Amino acid sequence: MSEETEHVSCLIIGSGPAGYTAAIYAARADLKPVLYTGIVPGGQLTQTTDVENFPGYPEGVMGPEMMEDFRKQAERFGTDIRFGYVTSVDFSSLPHKVVIDEHKTVTADTVIIATGASAKWLGLESEQKYNGFGVSACAVCDGFFFKGQDVAIVGAGDTAAEEATYLAKLCNKVHMLVRRDEFRASKAMQNRVLHTPNIEIHYNTETREIVGDGQNVTGVKVANNQTQAETVIPVTGFFVAIGHKPNTDIFKGWLDMDETGYLITKPDSTQTNIEGVFACGDAQDKLWRQAITAAGTGCMAALEAERYLAAKEDVLAESRIVEVNK
Ligand code: NDP
């Protein structure tokens, strides 16, 4: 093996709620996990403000602070947490090979993938400017802050439909911006939107700019793509619900995934199609995408890794000897 190669029993990729929870369980089970954080240590929650729906924080907590708590708890039991980005993997034989930052190879008996997903954004400069100050990609996380106010949501899929009805319960009015003259969402979800009186649907409507006073959002400039007529809708919140992209590109060709890239795991399990490789959190969950559900599957992944290591001890020991002698 080269100097830049090391072997670990349990390698965790990703540092959101799924990755850190897997690390807490794996470390307490004495698997001596090594966790690579990825480019955004702490994951998506480090980009939100208050988190009020994670049990155990009765007063709520700031997203970055909560992820710092997760990290400390994982470290307390001996997780080796490292800043680094996985650039490629080779799951063709045991032990699994994972390349970090293009130069270091880690071989691992078990790999827990917790690389998460990223919300898709419109790509407007003003959207970035007001992110966290009225602009959000998560209605369930941030809708509460706009109680009784007027908000807008862009998107026309199931997520947008679900989030619009969620927001409608809290907000005075929800403007739904749909770029075509029809929804993509299922009929059932569309019906819920269409029968919610305080949702106003703006078809053929594209977002041009998020308008603000320099600190907070005050409106959204939209254009009708048939007439090109521009208007500013006064809102204090702007929600983007145009889909998520799981961070799974590096696993293409190795792991089964759906057409969007969500990793497919066996029913009631985090086991992927490759033995010893487990997937948890938003990288394999397109439906719930909550911190608490990610933490839950992170726990499952660590427990499954532990069981796998115990059951396969002899095979894995043999594979390590073969690898060293290569
Ligand atoms: P989708 O990819 O299904 O929908 C994305 C929506 O965003 C589309 O309506 C699309 O418009 C719109 N969009 C994309 N880019 C832009 C843009 N630049 N400007 C304006 N609009 C844009 O993503 P979802 O997150 O809604 O759903 C992902 C998957 O998860 C789906 O399979 C969905 O069924 C599933 N899901 C299921 C739920 C449930 O069953 N309860 C809940 C949530 C999600 P256009 O239609 O014009 O392309």
PDB file of all heavy atoms in Angstrom, residues 263-283:
ATOM      1  N   LEU A 263     -30.100   7.337  -3.753  1.00  0.00           N
ATOM      2  CA  LEU A 263     -29.604   5.975  -3.615  1.00  0.00           C
ATOM      3  C   LEU A 263     -30.740   5.051  -3.185  1.00  0.00           C
ATOM      4  O   LEU A 263     -31.578   5.435  -2.361  1.00  0.00           O
ATOM      5  CB  LEU A 263     -28.470   5.926  -2.583  1.00  0.00           C
ATOM      6  CG  LEU A 263     -27.241   6.771  -2.952  1.00  0.00           C
ATOM      7  CD1 LEU A 263     -26.217   6.753  -1.822  1.00  0.00           C
ATOM      8  CD2 LEU A 263     -26.608   6.272  -4.258  1.00  0.00           C
ATOM      9  N   ILE A 264     -30.734   3.869  -3.765  1.00  0.00           N
ATOM     10  CA  ILE A 264     -31.804   2.909  -3.456  1.00  0.00           C
ATOM     11  C   ILE A 264     -31.274   1.903  -2.440  1.00  0.00           C
ATOM     12  O   ILE A 264     -30.217   1.302  -2.641  1.00  0.00           O
ATOM     13  CB  ILE A 264     -32.282   2.204  -4.745  1.00  0.00           C
ATOM     14  CG1 ILE A 264     -32.931   3.248  -5.668  1.00  0.00           C
ATOM     15  CG2 ILE A 264     -33.255   1.076  -4.427  1.00  0.00           C
ATOM     16  CD1 ILE A 264     -33.228   2.764  -7.060  1.00  0.00           C
ATOM     17  N   THR A 265     -31.994   1.787  -1.332  1.00  0.00           N
ATOM     18  CA  THR A 265     -31.592   0.837  -0.295  1.00  0.00           C
ATOM     19  C   THR A 265     -32.667  -0.244  -0.170  1.00  0.00           C
ATOM     20  O   THR A 265     -33.803  -0.046  -0.605  1.00  0.00           O
ATOM     21  CB  THR A 265     -31.411   1.542   1.061  1.00  0.00           C
ATOM     22  OG1 THR A 265     -32.587   2.313   1.347  1.00  0.00           O
ATOM     23  CG2 THR A 265     -30.205   2.460   1.052  1.00  0.00           C
ATOM     24  N   LYS A 266     -32.257  -1.368   0.430  1.00  0.00           N
ATOM     25  CA  LYS A 266     -33.214  -2.477   0.584  1.00  0.00           C
ATOM     26  C   LYS A 266     -34.338  -2.038   1.535  1.00  0.00           C
ATOM     27  O   LYS A 266     -34.121  -1.201   2.423  1.00  0.00           O
ATOM     28  CB  LYS A 266     -32.492  -3.692   1.166  1.00  0.00           C
ATOM     29  CG  LYS A 266     -31.326  -4.137   0.291  1.00  0.00           C
ATOM     30  CD  LYS A 266     -31.219  -5.643   0.205  1.00  0.00           C
ATOM     31  CE  LYS A 266     -30.435  -6.065  -1.012  1.00  0.00           C
ATOM     32  NZ  LYS A 266     -28.991  -6.080  -0.825  1.00  0.00           N
ATOM     33  N   PRO A 267     -35.549  -2.600   1.373  1.00  0.00           N
ATOM     34  CA  PRO A 267     -36.663  -2.192   2.239  1.00  0.00           C
ATOM     35  C   PRO A 267     -36.320  -2.359   3.719  1.00  0.00           C
ATOM     36  O   PRO A 267     -35.662  -3.341   4.103  1.00  0.00           O
ATOM     37  CB  PRO A 267     -37.794  -3.162   1.838  1.00  0.00           C
ATOM     38  CG  PRO A 267     -37.416  -3.666   0.482  1.00  0.00           C
ATOM     39  CD  PRO A 267     -35.930  -3.631   0.399  1.00  0.00           C
ATOM     40  N   ASP A 268     -36.723  -1.405   4.519  1.00  0.00           N
ATOM     41  CA  ASP A 268     -36.478  -1.413   5.967  1.00  0.00           C
ATOM     42  C   ASP A 268     -35.002  -1.519   6.311  1.00  0.00           C
ATOM     43  O   ASP A 268     -34.624  -2.128   7.332  1.00  0.00           O
ATOM     44  CB  ASP A 268     -37.232  -2.568   6.655  1.00  0.00           C
ATOM     45  CG  ASP A 268     -38.719  -2.445   6.462  1.00  0.00           C
ATOM     46  OD1 ASP A 268     -39.218  -1.311   6.449  1.00  0.00           O
ATOM     47  OD2 ASP A 268     -39.388  -3.488   6.301  1.00  0.00           O
ATOM     48  N   SER A 269     -34.152  -0.969   5.484  1.00  0.00           N
ATOM     49  CA  SER A 269     -32.714  -1.139   5.673  1.00  0.00           C
ATOM     50  C   SER A 269     -31.982   0.030   5.007  1.00  0.00           C
ATOM     51  O   SER A 269     -32.544   0.750   4.187  1.00  0.00           O
ATOM     52  CB  SER A 269     -32.310  -2.461   5.009  1.00  0.00           C
ATOM     53  OG  SER A 269     -30.923  -2.537   4.831  1.00  0.00           O
ATOM     54  N   THR A 270     -30.723   0.204   5.376  1.00  0.00           N
ATOM     55  CA  THR A 270     -29.894   1.206   4.701  1.00  0.00           C
ATOM     56  C   THR A 270     -28.872   0.526   3.780  1.00  0.00           C
ATOM     57  O   THR A 270     -27.987   1.179   3.247  1.00  0.00           O
ATOM     58  CB  THR A 270     -29.145   2.082   5.735  1.00  0.00           C
ATOM     59  OG1 THR A 270     -28.294   1.229   6.523  1.00  0.00           O
ATOM     60  CG2 THR A 270     -30.101   2.829   6.640  1.00  0.00           C
ATOM     61  N   GLN A 271     -29.016  -0.789   3.633  1.00  0.00           N
ATOM     62  CA  GLN A 271     -28.087  -1.569   2.803  1.00  0.00           C
ATOM     63  C   GLN A 271     -28.277  -1.224   1.316  1.00  0.00           C
ATOM     64  O   GLN A 271     -29.394  -1.267   0.814  1.00  0.00           O
ATOM     65  CB  GLN A 271     -28.363  -3.063   3.040  1.00  0.00           C
ATOM     66  CG  GLN A 271     -27.599  -4.010   2.134  1.00  0.00           C
ATOM     67  CD  GLN A 271     -26.106  -4.011   2.419  1.00  0.00           C
ATOM     68  OE1 GLN A 271     -25.682  -4.353   3.502  1.00  0.00           O
ATOM     69  NE2 GLN A 271     -25.308  -3.590   1.428  1.00  0.00           N
ATOM     70  N   THR A 272     -27.179  -0.870   0.648  1.00  0.00           N
ATOM     71  CA  THR A 272     -27.261  -0.614  -0.794  1.00  0.00           C
ATOM     72  C   THR A 272     -27.074  -1.935  -1.534  1.00  0.00           C
ATOM     73  O   THR A 272     -26.989  -3.000  -0.915  1.00  0.00           O
ATOM     74  CB  THR A 272     -26.155   0.370  -1.231  1.00  0.00           C
ATOM     75  OG1 THR A 272     -24.889  -0.291  -1.063  1.00  0.00           O
ATOM     76  CG2 THR A 272     -26.190   1.656  -0.433  1.00  0.00           C
ATOM     77  N   ASN A 273     -26.922  -1.866  -2.845  1.00  0.00           N
ATOM     78  CA  ASN A 273     -26.710  -3.084  -3.632  1.00  0.00           C
ATOM     79  C   ASN A 273     -25.298  -3.653  -3.452  1.00  0.00           C
ATOM     80  O   ASN A 273     -25.016  -4.755  -3.882  1.00  0.00           O
ATOM     81  CB  ASN A 273     -26.969  -2.819  -5.120  1.00  0.00           C
ATOM     82  CG  ASN A 273     -26.142  -1.676  -5.675  1.00  0.00           C
ATOM     83  OD1 ASN A 273     -26.209  -0.561  -5.163  1.00  0.00           O
ATOM     84  ND2 ASN A 273     -25.338  -1.921  -6.684  1.00  0.00           N
ATOM     85  N   ILE A 274     -24.394  -2.898  -2.806  1.00  0.00           N
ATOM     86  CA  ILE A 274     -23.035  -3.395  -2.563  1.00  0.00           C
ATOM     87  C   ILE A 274     -22.918  -3.760  -1.082  1.00  0.00           C
ATOM     88  O   ILE A 274     -23.200  -2.921  -0.213  1.00  0.00           O
ATOM     89  CB  ILE A 274     -21.975  -2.319  -2.908  1.00  0.00           C
ATOM     90  CG1 ILE A 274     -22.073  -1.886  -4.381  1.00  0.00           C
ATOM     91  CG2 ILE A 274     -20.574  -2.786  -2.547  1.00  0.00           C
ATOM     92  CD1 ILE A 274     -21.332  -2.721  -5.379  1.00  0.00           C
ATOM     93  N   GLU A 275     -22.467  -4.956  -0.802  1.00  0.00           N
ATOM     94  CA  GLU A 275     -22.403  -5.370   0.607  1.00  0.00           C
ATOM     95  C   GLU A 275     -21.407  -4.513   1.385  1.00  0.00           C
ATOM     96  O   GLU A 275     -20.344  -4.128   0.871  1.00  0.00           O
ATOM     97  CB  GLU A 275     -22.054  -6.861   0.732  1.00  0.00           C
ATOM     98  CG  GLU A 275     -20.640  -7.221   0.393  1.00  0.00           C
ATOM     99  CD  GLU A 275     -20.281  -8.629   0.903  1.00  0.00           C
ATOM    100  OE1 GLU A 275     -20.514  -9.596   0.150  1.00  0.00           O
ATOM    101  OE2 GLU A 275     -19.792  -8.731   2.030  1.00  0.00           O
ATOM    102  N   GLY A 276     -21.796  -4.166   2.593  1.00  0.00           N
ATOM    103  CA  GLY A 276     -20.942  -3.333   3.438  1.00  0.00           C
ATOM    104  C   GLY A 276     -21.036  -1.846   3.144  1.00  0.00           C
ATOM    105  O   GLY A 276     -20.378  -1.040   3.792  1.00  0.00           O
ATOM    106  N   VAL A 277     -21.841  -1.471   2.165  1.00  0.00           N
ATOM    107  CA  VAL A 277     -22.032  -0.040   1.862  1.00  0.00           C
ATOM    108  C   VAL A 277     -23.475   0.331   2.208  1.00  0.00           C
ATOM    109  O   VAL A 277     -24.418  -0.274   1.685  1.00  0.00           O
ATOM    110  CB  VAL A 277     -21.736   0.272   0.373  1.00  0.00           C
ATOM    111  CG1 VAL A 277     -21.979   1.752   0.083  1.00  0.00           C
ATOM    112  CG2 VAL A 277     -20.302  -0.111   0.022  1.00  0.00           C
ATOM    113  N   PHE A 278     -23.598   1.270   3.101  1.00  0.00           N
ATOM    114  CA  PHE A 278     -24.911   1.656   3.616  1.00  0.00           C
ATOM    115  C   PHE A 278     -25.173   3.130   3.269  1.00  0.00           C
ATOM    116  O   PHE A 278     -24.244   3.934   3.232  1.00  0.00           O
ATOM    117  CB  PHE A 278     -24.956   1.459   5.139  1.00  0.00           C
ATOM    118  CG  PHE A 278     -24.588   0.048   5.531  1.00  0.00           C
ATOM    119  CD1 PHE A 278     -23.260  -0.297   5.799  1.00  0.00           C
ATOM    120  CD2 PHE A 278     -25.554  -0.946   5.588  1.00  0.00           C
ATOM    121  CE1 PHE A 278     -22.913  -1.605   6.124  1.00  0.00           C
ATOM    122  CE2 PHE A 278     -25.220  -2.254   5.913  1.00  0.00           C
ATOM    123  CZ  PHE A 278     -23.890  -2.585   6.180  1.00  0.00           C
ATOM    124  N   ALA A 279     -26.432   3.456   3.028  1.00  0.00           N
ATOM    125  CA  ALA A 279     -26.765   4.843   2.672  1.00  0.00           C
ATOM    126  C   ALA A 279     -27.866   5.351   3.594  1.00  0.00           C
ATOM    127  O   ALA A 279     -28.841   4.639   3.868  1.00  0.00           O
ATOM    128  CB  ALA A 279     -27.215   4.918   1.224  1.00  0.00           C
ATOM    129  N   CYS A 280     -27.694   6.572   4.073  1.00  0.00           N
ATOM    130  CA  CYS A 280     -28.686   7.126   5.000  1.00  0.00           C
ATOM    131  C   CYS A 280     -28.877   8.620   4.732  1.00  0.00           C
ATOM    132  O   CYS A 280     -28.126   9.223   3.962  1.00  0.00           O
ATOM    133  CB  CYS A 280     -28.233   6.888   6.441  1.00  0.00           C
ATOM    134  SG  CYS A 280     -26.563   7.464   6.792  1.00  0.00           S
ATOM    135  N   GLY A 281     -29.883   9.177   5.377  1.00  0.00           N
ATOM    136  CA  GLY A 281     -30.129  10.618   5.247  1.00  0.00           C
ATOM    137  C   GLY A 281     -30.680  10.996   3.882  1.00  0.00           C
ATOM    138  O   GLY A 281     -31.212  10.157   3.148  1.00  0.00           O
ATOM    139  N   ASP A 282     -30.531  12.263   3.541  1.00  0.00           N
ATOM    140  CA  ASP A 282     -31.155  12.786   2.327  1.00  0.00           C
ATOM    141  C   ASP A 282     -30.597  12.190   1.039  1.00  0.00           C
ATOM    142  O   ASP A 282     -31.220  12.319  -0.012  1.00  0.00           O
ATOM    143  CB  ASP A 282     -31.003  14.317   2.273  1.00  0.00           C
ATOM    144  CG  ASP A 282     -31.934  15.013   3.261  1.00  0.00           C
ATOM    145  OD1 ASP A 282     -32.500  14.316   4.128  1.00  0.00           O
ATOM    146  OD2 ASP A 282     -32.100  16.237   3.159  1.00  0.00           O
ATOM    147  N   ALA A 283     -29.432  11.554   1.094  1.00  0.00           N
ATOM    148  CA  ALA A 283     -28.880  10.931  -0.119  1.00  0.00           C
ATOM    149  C   ALA A 283     -29.752   9.762  -0.568  1.00  0.00           C
ATOM    150  O   ALA A 283     -29.720   9.361  -1.728  1.00  0.00           O
ATOM    151  CB  ALA A 283     -27.449  10.453   0.137  1.00  0.00           C
TER     152      ALA A 283
END
